[in-house]
Every structure is written in structure tokens, then in C-alpha cells.
Amino acid sequence: MRLPKTRRQALKAIGAAAAASFRLGLVTAVSQMLAACGSGGSGDEPAPTPPPVVDGSGTPLAIPPVLAPTSSTGTSDFYNLSIQENDVEILSGKATRIIGFNGITPGPTIRTPAGRNITVSVSNDLPDTTLGGTSGEVTIHLHGGHVPASEDGFPTDVIVPGTSRDYKYPNDQLSSTLWYHDHLMDFTGPHVWFGMAGLYILTDDHEESLGLPSGAYEVPLVIQDRNFDADGNLLYTRDLNGEVGNTLVINGSVKPYLRVATRMYRFRVLNGSNMRAYQLALSSGQPFLVLGMEGGLLPSPVEVSSISLSPGERADIVIDFSAIPLGQSLMLRNLLGSGDTAEILRLDVDRTETDASRVPSVLRPIEKLVEGDAVQTRSFNLAGGMMGMPGMMGGLWTINGNAFDPDRVDADPQLDTLEIWQFFNMSMMDHPVHVHQAMFQILDINGNPPFATHAGWKDTVNVPAMGSARIIVRFTDYAGKYVFHCHVLEHEDHAMMARVDIVP
Ligand code: C2O
Ligand code: CU
Ligand code: CU
């Protein structure tokens, strides 16, 4: 199956059944929007509930395996990943067909010190047409990676089924929690939904020297939501407004729990959902520390009682269980959810341990990018989606009135110069905008400076419905063809993406 060259062909390729649900999607979208308007966001947190007692139910939290290199030299490591369909157990006693890196979802975690060169040989072992009736072509993007354009997984730079290619990652950037996922034009949403995503953790000597909780006390949390049918099959409708699941799946586990000791734990949290946003909080109301977000450590840890994560965003947090009585549990909750989608991870405090880890009050200074140094300001209007909305273009989402065209350059920043990008959201839905190649800093959201947790290096900024955001960014080292886009994957697939050519 060839990559559809136009949006219309893409829609045809999805097939009539999906097209029907596509139309249905508009109806669900309206109710979702009404629901979204009703919830006041971060302002009105529900009263803390008392900690539940350990009840032993649920499934133990799965931890994605760390991928071992197939070979190494003094400066480089080589890894293999195979993309394949596989049956896995997500719901107890049921087989769920997924598309997994090495057959699992999330895929194996790649963990590497910054400064080492990595080659990941990705073999596409999918059939020509894979789950959801989508193309078996893939392109792999390292989200948050500062990599040459040829390695960035441009949406049309595909690996066809039955072939493989090498991605070379220089890892010339700060320690941070990155992730890798498919980025195929028009089909990123279904491909990620069916399983194509994994963590990529960059470490460095400075961060290791801080004494943060590590090893078994450093826990990755990939938060996703999915819909299943009665037999355990994943359901995907290609909802124009973003696919929303009614079941939270954490590291591939449903209703997971983690047994913890009376000490500090570090959680590297990824919102790997297609469209759902989360607001993380502990059921006891106990505060926790945010060490950093997408681009690594903040200058100092920030204490919060909750943190919001849009699709694509990450948060590096530390929770201290030392004051929790043995035998009690805390629930890591989602304040934006209800019922099952309000509960992310149960934390059962089941043993006493001494804690040699620490969270220093100084983590790593950040070079503050200065507005006055910018040589260029670009404006991007985000619009579309629904009938009657400005920028509406046949059921697409647009940037400055345009649907994504891989052959049209939408921005041409000069390498090594500082730019301000302003985003105006002219729609009723949030758009978490993600920029490839470089980490940026947020200047303001709706005119207000970002909260301390969001004031460090970021690669995704949530532009609120009918609101605005400004970022400051400098692209360094690599010229060439990249993209920025909305990280609600169905918005991206319905054309809310722009090509950025970094000019040498
Ligand atoms: Cu996580 Cu361009 O994507
Ligand atoms: Cu990215
Ligand atoms: Cu969007």
C-alpha cells in the first residue's frame, strides 16, 4: 500500500466504515466540548479523599524492559527494534492485538548517557495493511530529540513493510525523558493507539551526581487511554476531535498498583495519550516535587499539589512516602477524569526502608532566553475542526488556514538565531503544540508567564482553547526539514502540522 499523497486519498484509504465513525466523531466532539467547557480546569480541585486501605486488587504495574545494545564501541551503541503485530494480555484473560516495538507496548525503554552515539536499526515487520486498516508504513520520530533532519522521522520519510533503516541519534543534549513513536503522515494517531510508542531516557553525569532516587526507585509511567471491545480488541474510530479512551492503561497495565517503601520515589511520567489531558495529584492531597519537564531538570525542584500534562508532555516528579503509615495506600489520581479515568496508579506502602537518596535544592541552572534577542516573530493561527468554526476546511484542522503539505515550507528560521513564535487558538479545543529539533522556553500563555514547573526547557506547549501562547526558540546544529504540529494525534492526522525548514 502506497502512502496516500493527498488528504482525500488518505480518507479513502481508511475505508467506508471508518468514514462513518468519522462523521459520528463530530457528534461525540460536541458532547466532549460541552464537558470540557463545564470543567474548570486546574482551578477547582475536588476535596482530598482519605487514603484507601490496601486491598490487593488490580494488576502489578508493568515496567517496560530496558533495551540492551546488540553491540558497542568506545563511543557508540547499536540497538535493534522490530515493529510487529503481536497478541498481548492487557485485560485479564484476553488477548489484545497490538503493533509493538519488539512486539510489546510501550516498547522497550532505550536508556543512554548523553554524548554517546546511538544507532537504532528499525525493521518494519508489519504487513502492508495493519491494524485499523491503516498503512503498514512507518517513520520513527524521537520526540524531544535534537537530531539531524535525516534522522527526525519526517512524516513522509517512510520505512515500507519488509524493510529496515538505521536512525542515528547523537544524544548531544541535556539529560531528559524523551520518547519515540511512529510519525506517519495521516496515520500517527492509530499507529500510536495500537502501540507504537516507547520511552527514551537520556542521563548525564551531572544528573547522576545529584543523588536522586534511582534504580528500582525511579519508575517510568506511560499514561495512555484506550477503548476495548468485549473480546479485548482495541477500538479506534479516528475521531476528528481526538480519540478518547474510557480505560486508562499505564505502562500497558490496567488498574495498576505499585508496592512502595517508606522513602522517596522518582516517577518519569509521559502523557502518551492521543488526546486526553491529565492533572496528576495524590488522593491525600499531599504535595510532591517536580524536577523538570520535557527538556530536563529545572533550576530547582518545584513543590506542587497537582500538575497538568497535555498529550506529549512529560513530568519528572518525586513523591515522598516516608510519612505514610505501613499498610496504607495513596492513589495517584487524574483530577480531570471521572470514575475509572480518575485513577492512575495505586501506591501501596508495604515496607519500611531507609532512604539514601536526596533532592538537592539546586538541580541545574537554565540559560534564560531573552525576548529582546529575538530576530524574528512568527504568528500561527490554529483553527478548524468543526462546522462553522473559523478556518474550517472540510473537516480538517489548520495552521494559518493551511492543511499540512509536506512539500510546502511554512516557516524558515535561520540556524542559530532566536525567534519568538506566537500561537493563537481560534477553536474551542486545546492544542498542545509540539516543535521538533529544539527545546524552547514559554514566554507566556494567555499573556501570563508560565508557572515555575513550565518555565524550563519544553518541547510541547498547550495553547488553550480560544487562547494564545508565545514561545522563544533557537534552532542549533542541524539545518533541514522538520515539522511542528498539534500533539492531539487526530488533529495532527487531520492536517494540523506545518513544515519548518531550518536554513543554514
Ligand atoms: Cu511526539 Cu512530532 O511528535
Ligand atoms: Cu517531536
Ligand atoms: Cu489540536
Side-chain angles (χ1 to χ4, degrees):
M1 184 177 178
R2 295 188 51 234
L3 185 74
K5 288 292 185 292
T6 67
R7 195 72 38 182
R8 198 162 291 134
Q9 283 170 1
L11 291 177
K12 260 190 223 146
I14 300 279
S21 58
F22 187 91
R23 283 190 296 274
L24 270 177
L26 287 174
V27 179
T28 35
V30 176
S31 47
Q32 278 160 19
M33 278 182 175
L34 292 176
C37 293
S39 87
S42 40
D44 52 359
E45 301 173 14
T49 52
V53 174
V54 175
D55 65 4
S57 69
T59 49
L61 178 74
I63 306 291
V66 174
L67 192 64
T70 53
S71 65
S72 295
T73 69
T75 55
S76 310
D77 300 295
F78 300 85
Y79 294 90
N80 286 339
L81 284 175
S82 152
I83 301 172
Q84 47 193 251
E85 292 184 10
N86 193 21
D87 290 326
V88 298
E89 186 176 317
I90 298 174
L91 305 174
S92 139
K94 289 178 180 163
T96 298
R97 179 136 279 229
I98 57 139
I99 308 172
F101 289 97
N102 292 355
I104 58 172
T105 188
T109 299
I110 295 178
R111 190 180 174 104
T112 180
R116 282 189 76 78
N117 292 303
I118 276 197
T119 302
V120 185
S121 172
V122 177
S123 136
N124 181 353
D125 299 316
L126 293 176
D128 288 346
T129 301
T130 183
L131 304 188
T134 63
S135 166
E137 292 176 340
V138 300
T139 172
I140 305 309
H141 171 59
L142 177 58
H143 179 133
H146 178 57
V147 306
S150 58
E151 315 305 302
D152 195 52
F154 193 80
T156 53
D157 194 0
V158 302
I159 312 174
V160 300
T163 68
S164 65
R165 71 151 279 180
D166 290 350
Y167 289 95
K168 293 188 193 307
Y169 301 134
N171 297 315
D172 184 14
Q173 62 188 106
L174 297 171
S175 56
S176 44
T177 306
L178 313 182
W179 59 305
Y180 60 92
H181 60 78
D182 176 64
H183 216 295
L184 183 65
M185 180 163 149
D186 300 336
F187 300 103
T188 298
H191 280 182
V192 171
W193 183 271
F194 288 114
M196 272 195 256
L199 285 172
Y200 187 106
I201 294 174
L202 263 174
T203 63
D204 65 24
D205 291 344
H206 173 76
E207 188 172 314
E208 306 262 279
S209 76
L210 296 176
L212 301 169
S214 62
Y217 308 107
E218 180 193 331
V219 180
L221 288 184
V222 179
I223 305 180
Q224 298 177 309
D225 59 337
R226 297 289 181 263
N227 292 312
F228 298 89
D229 73 9
D231 298 323
N233 303 307
L234 282 164
L235 295 172
Y236 185 79
T237 66
R238 197 176 168 86
D239 187 331
L240 170 67
N241 288 288
E243 199 79 4
V244 182
N246 59 17
T247 304
L248 296 193
V249 183
I250 316 300
N251 294 352
S253 307
V254 174
K255 291 193 184 299
Y257 65 84
L258 179 69
R259 299 213 160 106
V260 295
T262 50
R263 51 159 294 150
M264 292 192 291
Y265 281 71
R266 177 182 187 181
F267 294 91
R268 293 177 182 266
V269 188
L270 159 68
N271 181 354
S273 305
N274 285 36
M275 95 77 73
R276 188 185 281 278
Y278 302 86
Q279 187 180 356
L280 311 182
L282 289 162
S283 50
S284 59
Q286 176 186 326
F288 54 91
L289 296 175
V290 178
L291 305 183
M293 293 191 71
E294 292 95 270
L297 296 172
L298 290 163
S300 311
V302 178
E303 188 179 280
V304 297
S305 58
S306 74
I307 186 169
S308 300
L309 283 185
S310 298
E313 284 187 310
R314 286 87 73 203
D316 193 347
I317 67 177
V318 168
I319 301 176
D320 187 356
F321 299 99
S322 61
I324 312 293
L326 280 188
Q328 286 212 346
S329 298
L330 292 185
M331 182 62 79
L332 180 63
R333 299 188 60 220
N334 167 27
L335 299 184
L336 303 181
S338 59
D340 284 353
T341 61
E343 300 193 335
I344 294 170
L345 174 66
R346 201 184 71 228
L347 298 147
D348 297 343
V349 182
D350 78 337
R351 62 195 190 278
T352 318
E353 267 180 32
T354 52
D355 191 353
S357 69
R358 52 192 285 269
V359 178
S361 58
V362 175
L363 296 172
R364 172 157 47 205
I366 287 182
E367 178 207 355
K368 183 111 183 100
L369 302 180
V370 180
E371 222 181 304
D373 295 342
V375 300
Q376 166 101 268
T377 298
R378 293 176 203 271
S379 297
F380 300 103
N381 291 339
L382 312 172
M386 278 185 71
M387 298 298 262
M389 295 300 289
M392 168 77 189
M393 233 182 93
L396 299 179
W397 295 95
T398 59
I399 298 176
N400 286 347
N402 290 320
F404 177 63
D405 178 347
D407 298 321
R408 185 195 61 238
V409 181
D410 299 300
D412 55 354
Q414 185 97 34
L415 198 63
D416 293 325
T417 63
L418 206 54
E419 296 205 351
I420 294 170
W421 287 12
Q422 44 191 12
F423 303 100
F424 298 100
N425 186 342
M426 304 161 75
S427 73
M428 298 296 289
M429 299 188 79
D430 287 8
H431 297 296
V433 169
H434 166 54
V435 181
H436 285 211
Q437 208 273 15
M439 292 286 170
F440 55 74
Q441 290 171 13
I442 300 175
L443 290 172
D444 42 56
I445 297 179
N446 288 346
N448 303 313
F451 190 62
T453 48
H454 288 58
W457 293 112
K458 297 270 299 160
D459 64 32
T460 305
V461 58
N462 188 49
V463 188
M466 301 308 287
S468 65
R470 289 194 313 143
I471 64 168
I472 186 162
V473 63
R474 185 198 289 129
F475 300 99
T476 60
D477 299 317
Y478 311 116
K481 191 170 73 167
Y482 296 87
V483 291
F484 81 84
H485 57 89
C486 178
H487 220 285
V488 171
L489 298 181
E490 289 71 28
H491 297 186
E492 174 189 340
D493 284 347
H494 294 96
M496 192 172 252
M497 178 151 61
R499 173 170 159 186
V500 179
D501 281 20
I502 300 167
V503 181

